[in-house]
Amino acid sequence: MFDLHVHTIHSADGRQTVEEACEAAIRRGLRGIAVCDHADMWFSEKLNTPAEIRACMEDVRRARRIYGDRLEILQGVEMAEYLDDPEGADRILSQEGFDVVLGSVHSLRLEDIDDSYSRVDFSEMPEEQIHRFMKKYFFLMSEMIEKTDFDVLTHLTCPLRYVNGKYKRGVDPLCFEKEILTVFGQIIEKDIPLELNTSGIHSFYGRYMPDPSLLRAYADMGGRLITVASDAHAPQYIGNAFPEARALLRELGFDAYCVFRKRKLFQYGF
Ligand SMILES: [Zn+2]
Ligand SMILES: [Zn+2]
């Protein structure tokens, strides 16, 4: 299989080189990986610059020379909050050589909150405010799908990893069914695959993103396009829980997963 979402030291939170990621993928028996370092347009963090992405591309080119006969190494980028700085985002995306662009929502502004949801303290937040927060998250996702150009919708419901995983607030994703079904309708219409993200499995969350119940709702609406992604920031998580994810997807009726080359979609049977 292909792991279509992997981070390296070219992300501020990455803890593996491109070469270490490739070696881990080969050990796991994967066919390929997509190196998708962060380009968050919200914060001026170290690694959202065109120069850093160029450095990542250079590492990917070198890795292809070393591992290319054993592993397909795709060049990606995880673009978040594109609409907060469209010119900056375009400067990154105008560079040649991307195989796949991931579309993500990582941060939002709501009332007194103005940060990445991974840094928000949900422990004391009133449930009503959590609901408004989640609705804003899905609204931003819908806006991103409508107005920006990307290939794969990542880690749908990711704030619940913190709300429910880290802070144990027990919020039911089905509270946002209307918003989620709107997102599914949009990506199905645009032929944008949904990512099954396995990074929660071996964390405090212990779940896929999105939940199997939502994957089923996507399939019921006619959604067929899916990618499988570890979102690994360290070698031990590359291809994390892929056999289980594949079994789940087959059970839900998905018979293929998606890969992108030069931003063109290809599908492979499970
Ligand atoms: Zn992300
Ligand atoms: Zn990521």
Side-chain angles (χ1 to χ4, degrees), residues 38-45 48 78-85 103-110 113-120 122 133-141 143-144 154-155 158-159 162:
H38 287 297
D40 286 59
M41 307 318 296
W42 179 277
F43 299 100
S44 47
E45 286 182 29
N48 62 3
E78 183 177 7
M79 185 63 65
E81 283 69 65
Y82 178 103
L83 291 168
D84 284 302
D85 180 6
S104 297
V105 175
H106 287 153
S107 303
L108 61 86
R109 287 184 193 91
L110 178 82
I113 305 161
D114 185 353
D115 205 348
S116 159
Y117 47 70
S118 65
R119 289 190 281 252
V120 172
F122 292 100
F133 185 94
M134 291 303 297
K135 286 186 180 181
K136 177 87 185 262
Y137 164 78
F138 292 116
F139 170 81
L140 291 174
M141 194 164 266
E143 195 179 43
M144 174 180 79
T154 64
H155 48 58
C158 193
Y162 304 94

Side-chain angles (χ1 to χ4, degrees), residues 202-252:
H202 292 102
S203 76
F204 46 70
Y205 192 34
R207 308 185 71 90
Y208 295 109
M209 294 180 285
D211 265 15
S213 60
L214 296 177
L215 290 169
R216 189 180 296 279
Y218 173 65
D220 287 346
M221 283 180 73
R224 309 301 328 142
L225 302 179
I226 201 113
T227 68
V228 187
S230 70
D231 205 350
H233 290 62
Q236 66 269 35
Y237 300 117
I238 302 259
N240 184 27
F242 272 29
E244 296 86 346
R246 175 169 52 191
L248 169 69
L249 289 168
R250 289 179 72 154
E251 191 189 309
L252 292 170

